[in-house]
Amino acid sequence: MSEQLKFIVEQLNKDPFKKNFNLITFDSLEPMQLLQILNDVLAEIDPKQALDIREEMPEQTVKRMCALLGMLKYKPPGNQSDVSSFRQGLVIGSKPVVHPILHWLLQRVPELKKRAYLARFLVKLEVPAEFLQDDVINDTYHQYEELVEGFKTYHKECEQLRISGFSTAEIRRDISAMEEEKDQLIKRVERLKKRVESVSNHQRMLEQARQLRVEKEREESLAHQKQEQKNQLFQAEQRLQRSQQQLKDMRQAAADANPESLMKRLEEEIKINSYMVSEKLPKELEGMRHTVQYLQKVSSEPAMGQADLQELEDKIKEVDSQINQLIEKKMMRNDPMDDKLTLYRQQASIIIRRKEAKAEELQEAREELSAAERELRQRTNQARPTDGEEVIRGDELKRLVGKLRSKGTLYKKKRQEISELKAEYGVLQRTEEILKQRHETVQQKLQTVEAEKGISGYSNTQEELERVSAIKSELDEKKGRTLDDMSEMVKKLNSMIVEKKSALAPIIKELRSLRQRCQELSQEYDEKKAQYESCAAGLESNRSKLEQEVKALREETAQEENRYHHINCMSEIIEMQIQRAAEEMKAYVSSDPQERKKAIREVYMKNIAEQELLGKKLREKQKMVRESHGANMEQMKMWRDLEQLMECKRQCFIRAQSQASIGQVIQEGGEDRLVL
């Protein structure tokens, strides 16, 4: 605990807080001051929190701080059941609650600043699902989500560039190193030119070396083109395999599908779409219109006071009592026909609810499918390059670029060294050939001279003896050097040991006295530590007792305040009820008929009389319908028979007309023949 307080005080005394606290002054702060310090630390993390908590309600302060701490992913110590006690401790500015928060915040201020900055753009707005049914709102919300995703990618790229970016110092070092390499290469080229100028036909040899380099570069480019073409061929084969697999799947789907199943599927889709268009969507549209009208009506009305609210509550209670009375009357009547109808109505309502639920699930699934297809198209458009190849993205691409850069520089260096070595090798090879030719001519001349003198083979024997003697002398020199080196090393080691001993002697003496002093100080430290711990334990026990007493008194004060407010509210309610009863009694006893009509009893009696009269009229109407039901059914049957008879006569008349027209045509044709 003391370490925690020390850390908090040290951090608060630094920039940007500069509080000039010590442990005693910080520990003696009032709860309001402690909450203000916590608010200042939160304001350093999120500038929106910069305000004076004395100008804000305690509930709003706690709500604001809890929201920010939740966004910063702070977990209070203890179990989940201690959340209420944590909030209560934050309200009263309790030290066991505020101190861990300050310690946690001050440990990671830069990280929390970054998190608070990102939360401004990454915490998504909560839009109710019924509002997302609107196309405009849905499109706007999708654009908002796309902007959030774009911000994530841009922020990641920015952070990676900050981490792996090239500094100007590194670029300058690279430029200076490249200039040094350039100077070295110029010197080496000049040195090689001087060597080559002494060789005959060096121009022709340089031209051939240049042609050789050009051909090798061409060979490398051809090999690179060959590798690229192989990669393109491999990718084309993969695309061909995927296309063949898709074609195979489509053929299988076409083979499994017959006209009947397709027609059945289309009919089901048509039924679903017709239900959505004719029933579900109009209901939702009508509900939204009613909601909009209701909201417009509420917004157009003036602000309501406590009396208006009380009047509305009274009306609601009256309507509820009327509904209960009507339900009781209906239950007392207990008509068996109504019971059957209610059963059917319940079943129909259950089926309708299921149908609506399935339609909503279908609509949500379609929206998810369309969103997934839209996202897939966007991802494919982003991932599709100009030549149709697959793209490497993200960290893998950056690592690959870094490897290629390092390998490119290494390749250039090695290639330059290889070209230099090849040029030098060509010069040395040519020099070797010339020297071999000269040696062969000299050997031939020597052999002819030896043959003329009669001592053939003398030169070879002399060379062998010289070689053996040279080898022996080298071995003797190595042995002598090895022995001398070993003796010198032994002398050096002995002298170093003596020097180290003489240097360590006074240090060892000082170390003995310091060890004794350390033992004395450790004993004194242990004694002081035991005294401190005993004193701290006593003070901690006293402090805990005082805190418990303060906590109990605060809880008692809060309970008494709640009880006081509850009693005040109950007294106000009772006064209002008494006032209403007095007004009702005054209106009921009043001699003025207009005042008596305003009484609730008169209103209820009037409503009861109207309902009884309406019930009597309905019963009489029901009786008349039952009495005339048989005669009406017989009359309806007679009218149907009359309708069938008239339809039969109409059909006979039509047939007679058609036969008469046919006979007239035949008769006219016969007369025409007679005339001819």
Side-chain angles (χ1 to χ4, degrees), residues 210-226 411 415:
R210 192 178 296 109
Q211 290 179 1
L212 178 63
R213 188 185 69 252
V214 171
E215 292 297 328
K216 285 186 177 180
E217 290 178 355
R218 184 182 175 190
E219 182 182 0
E220 290 176 357
S221 64
L222 291 172
H224 184 65
Q225 289 179 3
K226 182 179 179 182
Y411 168 72
R415 185 176 174 185

Side-chain angles (χ1 to χ4, degrees), residues 262-446:
L262 291 174
M263 289 296 294
K264 188 175 180 181
R265 195 182 306 158
L266 289 172
E267 287 177 357
E268 290 177 356
E269 290 181 359
I270 290 168
K271 287 179 181 178
I272 292 169
N273 292 328
S274 62
Y275 169 73
M276 296 286 288
V277 172
S278 61
E279 295 184 15
K280 188 175 184 302
L281 293 177
K283 286 182 181 178
E284 292 180 355
L285 184 62
E286 190 66 25
M288 291 178 71
R289 285 176 180 170
H290 285 306
T291 305
V292 171
Q293 291 176 359
Y294 179 72
L295 293 173
Q296 289 177 352
K297 183 179 178 182
V298 171
S299 63
S300 62
E301 289 181 356
M304 299 180 70
Q306 187 66 29
D308 297 331
L309 292 174
Q310 190 67 32
E311 186 178 356
L312 288 175
E313 289 178 358
D314 296 339
K315 288 182 180 179
I316 291 168
K317 290 179 181 179
E318 292 175 3
V319 174
D320 289 337
S321 62
Q322 292 177 6
I323 291 168
N324 292 328
Q325 290 176 3
L326 293 174
I327 291 169
E328 289 176 359
K329 287 182 180 180
K330 185 177 180 182
M331 292 174 67
M332 289 173 65
R333 192 171 58 187
N334 197 9
D335 193 353
M337 185 62 70
D338 291 338
D339 293 338
K340 292 181 181 179
L341 290 175
T342 53
L343 179 62
Y344 293 143
R345 287 194 191 99
Q346 289 177 359
Q347 292 178 355
S349 63
I350 291 168
I351 292 169
I352 289 169
R353 283 197 297 270
R354 288 180 180 176
K355 195 173 182 181
E356 290 177 353
K358 293 297 179 183
E360 289 178 357
E361 291 177 0
L362 177 62
Q363 190 172 359
E364 291 176 357
R366 285 181 175 176
E367 290 176 356
E368 291 178 358
L369 179 61
S370 61
E373 289 178 351
R374 188 163 53 252
E375 185 177 1
L376 179 61
R377 286 195 297 271
Q378 292 176 357
R379 296 289 177 86
T380 50
N381 292 329
Q382 292 175 0
R384 187 182 299 125
T386 55
D387 54 355
E389 296 180 358
E390 296 181 356
V391 176
I392 301 171
R393 305 182 195 86
D395 298 334
E396 187 177 358
L397 179 60
K398 293 181 179 178
R399 289 196 297 270
L400 182 60
V401 170
K403 288 181 180 179
L404 287 175
R405 285 178 180 172
S406 60
K407 287 183 179 180
T409 55
L410 183 63
Y411 168 72
K412 289 178 181 178
K413 291 180 181 179
K414 297 296 183 183
R415 185 176 174 185
Q416 185 67 29
E417 291 177 0
I418 289 169
S419 61
E420 292 174 359
L421 291 173
K422 283 181 179 180
E424 191 172 358
Y425 173 72
V427 174
L428 293 174
Q429 191 175 9
R430 180 60 181 167
T431 307
E432 184 183 5
E433 289 177 358
I434 294 169
L435 292 174
K436 281 181 179 180
Q437 290 176 2
R438 292 180 181 178
H439 180 67
E440 288 176 358
T441 55
V442 172
Q443 287 291 331
Q444 289 177 2
K445 289 179 181 180
L446 183 60

Side-chain angles (χ1 to χ4, degrees), residues 102 248 336 346 366 535 662 664:
L102 286 172
K248 185 177 179 182
Q346 289 177 359
R366 285 181 175 176
C535 182
I662 291 168
Q664 186 177 359

Side-chain angles (χ1 to χ4, degrees), residues 514-526:
L514 290 173
R515 282 179 180 172
Q516 188 176 2
R517 179 64 178 164
C518 178
Q519 289 178 359
E520 294 175 358
L521 290 174
S522 61
Q523 290 177 0
E524 186 178 356
Y525 169 73
D526 292 335

Side-chain angles (χ1 to χ4, degrees), residues 89-121:
L90 197 60
V91 170
I92 64 177
S94 177
K95 293 179 182 178
V97 175
V98 178
H99 285 176
I101 298 174
L102 286 172
H103 185 261
W104 185 82
L105 292 173
L106 294 171
Q107 277 181 334
R108 43 182 72 83
V109 171
E111 178 187 351
L112 296 178
K113 278 185 178 180
K114 181 179 178 182
R115 188 174 293 172
Y117 168 72
L118 294 176
R120 292 170 54 194
F121 306 100

Side-chain angles (χ1 to χ4, degrees), residues 134-166:
D134 191 359
D135 294 335
V136 178
I137 297 174
N138 195 7
D139 294 338
T140 307
Y141 189 72
H142 284 305
Q143 291 177 3
Y144 166 70
E145 290 180 342
E146 290 174 359
L147 290 173
V148 170
E149 295 297 328
F151 175 77
K152 288 181 182 178
T153 56
Y154 293 145
H155 181 71
K156 287 180 181 177
E157 291 177 358
C158 180
E159 290 295 326
Q160 290 174 358
L161 288 174
R162 286 178 181 174
I163 294 169
S164 62
F166 295 103

